[in-house]
Amino acid sequence: MPFKTPDGKEFATRPEWRDYMMETFYSFKGKKDEAEPLIKKPGDIDGQVFNIGDCENCTFVVADLTEQVQIDQVKNCRIFIGACASSIFIRNCENCVFYTCCRQLRLREVTNSTFYIMSQAEVHIEYTNTVRFAPFNGG
């Protein structure tokens, strides 16, 4: 039985299907200078892992439940993560504003950024400077 994606593509194996789904539906990668916000609506991710990486000068809205989120190499962006069941990892980012709601937030090498957060656990911070924290204000 082939594995079918929402856009109609079929794959013979689950790993091939999963790789395509991650690249096409469960990530924002290589986005630069997008004029309009890039949005994942409720039901688009449905509790899967989500990645944002290598992006600059963009606004991202993830308005669906995610299992885990990884954000890497992002500059001058605004990122809203509505609900993450476990951890959000943010690495090598600068000049960003994050709105996050998660079980755990982990930062590494983040510079000059603001976080509006709700985290059930302590925020873990490594090799990070000039960050500001405030309560989550997702509305």
Side-chain angles (χ1 to χ4, degrees):
M1 171 186 297
F3 295 88
K4 193 170 185 177
T5 63
D7 61 359
K9 294 192 186 244
E10 293 185 2
F11 295 90
T13 67
R14 184 169 176 77
E16 291 174 319
W17 171 85
R18 178 75 177 142
D19 289 347
Y20 180 81
M21 290 296 290
M22 279 301 298
E23 190 65 32
T24 308
F25 295 99
Y26 303 142
S27 67
F28 290 125
K29 300 252 177 143
K31 304 295 183 183
K32 306 253 190 266
D33 303 313
E34 297 284 337
E36 296 293 320
L38 298 166
I39 300 171
K40 291 294 182 179
K41 299 179 296 225
D44 285 352
I45 301 167
D46 198 26
Q48 298 296 315
V49 171
F50 195 81
N51 295 329
I52 299 173
D54 302 313
C55 298
E56 196 168 336
N57 302 316
C58 297
T59 297
F60 302 102
V61 177
V62 179
D64 195 10
L65 175 65
T66 59
E67 174 60 31
Q68 175 180 300
V69 178
Q70 296 183 77
I71 303 171
D72 295 294
Q73 302 288 336
V74 174
K75 292 181 181 181
N76 306 316
C77 291
R78 294 169 55 93
I79 300 174
F80 176 92
I81 308 292
C84 180
S86 62
S87 298
I88 298 176
F89 297 90
I90 301 175
R91 298 174 288 240
N92 302 98
C93 296
E94 63 181 88
N95 301 322
C96 294
V97 178
F98 297 92
Y99 304 84
T100 65
C101 188
C102 59
R103 181 171 293 153
Q104 180 185 67
L105 179 63
R106 300 183 70 91
L107 310 177
R108 189 182 80 216
E109 297 180 52
V110 176
T111 303
N112 194 36
S113 295
T114 302
F115 294 85
Y116 296 94
I117 66 167
M118 193 298 291
S119 177
Q120 293 178 336
E122 285 183 0
V123 177
H124 296 265
I125 303 171
E126 300 175 13
Y127 308 111
T128 293
N129 65 64
T130 319
V131 291
R132 295 157 299 281
F133 295 94
F136 181 74
N137 64 352

